[in-house]
Amino acid sequence: MNYIGMNDGVIDAKDAVVSVLDHGLLYGMGLFETFRTYGGMPFLLERHLERMESGCRQLGIPFNMDHEKLLDWIARLMEQNRLKEAYIRFTVTAGEGILGLPAADYSNPNLILYAKALPTFPEQLYTHGKALQLLEHPRNTPEGPVRFKSLHYMNNILAKRELSVYSSAVGGAEGLMLTPQGFVAEGIVSNVFFVKKGVLCTPDLSTGILPGITREMVMKLAVHTGLQVEEGLYSWEQLKEADEVFLTNSIQEIVPVTSLYEKEERRIINGGRSGPVTTQLILLYRERAGVPT
């Protein structure tokens, strides 16, 4: 990244700075969205903006970035970084404030835009999948009624540190966090789905998971195809007995899980290959994103 977007401008990365009194730094008061482009256009941008606006409203951070304005800003940043496709992170910090906990709303947020080259994923990832490692580190409860995609990411980082001690991490496994009560929550950077007897299941938002934009789209696609979709409270044992398991996020889309690890014990899912429901949803998602088939 040679250039970074700051407050609707595009500047040299070395000049992109925020104050040490920014409450994003002092107290983690800020939000971010990550998404990717297809054909140079950000996918599901309006839904990401809606989630950002809702979160900012609850945190007392003014936010007035509209869809067309952000599209233009992204295009300028991608052009400066010579990117045809990009992984994009849009961040809003609360801005400068007093040294202490405020009760009033903020007034001068910082808007930061990062764009980098998309990582490449081998097609085998979508046919043979990846591993999911059960972690001991639990998913914490959200600060509000629904989890924000906030700058306070310590829970995920500690989970990532735990994942690194397992052999499955060498092969690119994702880590799975449970709630303190032992229910399946989510991956470190992904939402979790599984299929059992033709029903598509995913943890309920009451488990404290992030209401992922890709998660939402997958549920809509599944319902459109006639699949029964269920949100609920599920155990690790139920996940182990699933016919299919997959993960979702905005960058990797839909990734089959073909191995489940509990410490170093491995359980194979669907013979080590993507199942029929997962494969169908991958194709439908890519069609919706405008990916040529």
Side-chain angles (χ1 to χ4, degrees):
M1 283 184 296
N2 295 319
Y3 296 92
I4 288 176
M6 282 288 295
N7 297 323
D8 197 39
V10 177
I11 61 177
D12 195 292
K14 71 177 187 303
D15 298 322
V17 295
V18 296
S19 167
V20 294
L21 294 177
D22 193 306
H23 277 208
L25 171 65
L26 290 176
Y27 305 114
M29 290 295 289
L31 303 168
F32 71 98
E33 293 287 332
T34 55
F35 43 90
R36 59 169 290 178
T37 64
Y38 294 87
M41 292 295 292
F43 186 49
L44 299 175
L45 182 60
E46 289 189 11
R47 282 295 299 118
H48 285 283
L49 273 177
E50 287 170 4
R51 185 169 67 175
M52 175 74 83
E53 183 178 16
S54 174
C56 283
R57 186 167 56 250
Q58 293 181 64
L59 295 179
I61 300 174
F63 183 77
N64 59 3
M65 177 63 71
D66 65 44
H67 181 261
E68 294 303 318
K69 186 176 179 181
L70 184 54
L71 274 178
D72 175 70
W73 191 18
I74 290 170
R76 286 186 282 124
L77 181 62
M78 288 178 63
E79 182 179 10
Q80 282 289 84
N81 282 306
R82 299 182 179 181
L83 296 170
K84 292 185 177 180
E85 301 289 0
Y87 169 117
I88 297 164
R89 171 170 162 151
F90 179 40
T91 302
V92 177
T93 76
E96 288 188 45
I98 62 169
L99 188 60
L101 303 183
D105 288 350
Y106 293 97
S107 58
N108 294 298
N110 283 304
L111 277 62
I112 306 167
L113 196 62
Y114 305 88
K116 67 177 184 179
L118 273 173
T120 56
F121 304 112
E123 192 54 36
Q124 185 176 359
L125 176 65
Y126 300 97
T127 57
H128 290 73
K130 69 192 305 180
L132 185 62
Q133 175 77 55
L134 179 63
L135 302 177
E136 294 181 359
H137 189 75
R139 191 50 164 136
N140 64 357
T141 55
E143 293 86 349
V146 177
R147 183 172 300 281
F148 300 126
K149 199 170 179 69
S150 76
L151 303 186
H152 179 36
Y153 235 55
M154 188 182 296
N155 192 218
N156 302 66
I157 293 172
L158 291 176
K160 184 76 171 182
R161 288 174 63 84
E162 182 192 343
L163 176 63
S164 69
V165 308
Y166 297 109
S167 62
S168 63
V170 177
E174 166 69 310
L176 175 70
M177 292 178 282
L178 306 181
T179 68
Q181 296 77 29
F183 296 116
V184 172
E186 62 187 347
I188 298 171
V189 293
S190 61
N191 287 123
V192 180
F193 287 82
F194 69 93
V195 180
K196 185 65 177 179
K197 296 182 179 179
V199 179
L200 182 63
C201 305
T202 193
D204 189 78
L205 295 182
S206 65
T207 59
I209 63 173
L210 182 75
I213 303 300
T214 306
R215 172 185 183 270
E216 176 185 272
M217 175 55 68
V218 166
M219 292 170 71
K220 288 180 179 178
L221 291 172
V223 169
H224 184 70
T225 65
L227 269 174
Q228 181 181 340
V229 178
E230 174 185 286
E231 297 176 79
L233 303 177
Y234 308 107
S235 68
W236 170 250
E237 293 302 316
Q238 285 175 282
L239 203 64
K240 286 167 62 177
E241 296 302 320
D243 301 320
E244 303 176 42
V245 181
F246 64 85
L247 308 172
T248 63
N249 71 30
S250 293
I251 307 304
Q252 293 189 354
E253 307 167 333
I254 301 169
V255 177
V257 169
T258 50
S259 297
L260 295 176
Y261 279 87
E262 186 169 1
K263 296 191 183 299
E264 299 299 328
E265 181 181 340
R266 182 187 185 196
R267 185 181 186 89
I268 304 296
I269 302 295
N270 195 51
R273 295 185 63 89
S274 176
V277 172
T278 306
T279 299
Q280 181 187 26
L281 289 170
I282 289 172
L283 293 173
L284 289 171
Y285 187 88
R286 290 179 176 176
E287 181 182 314
R288 176 68 176 78
V291 178
T293 55

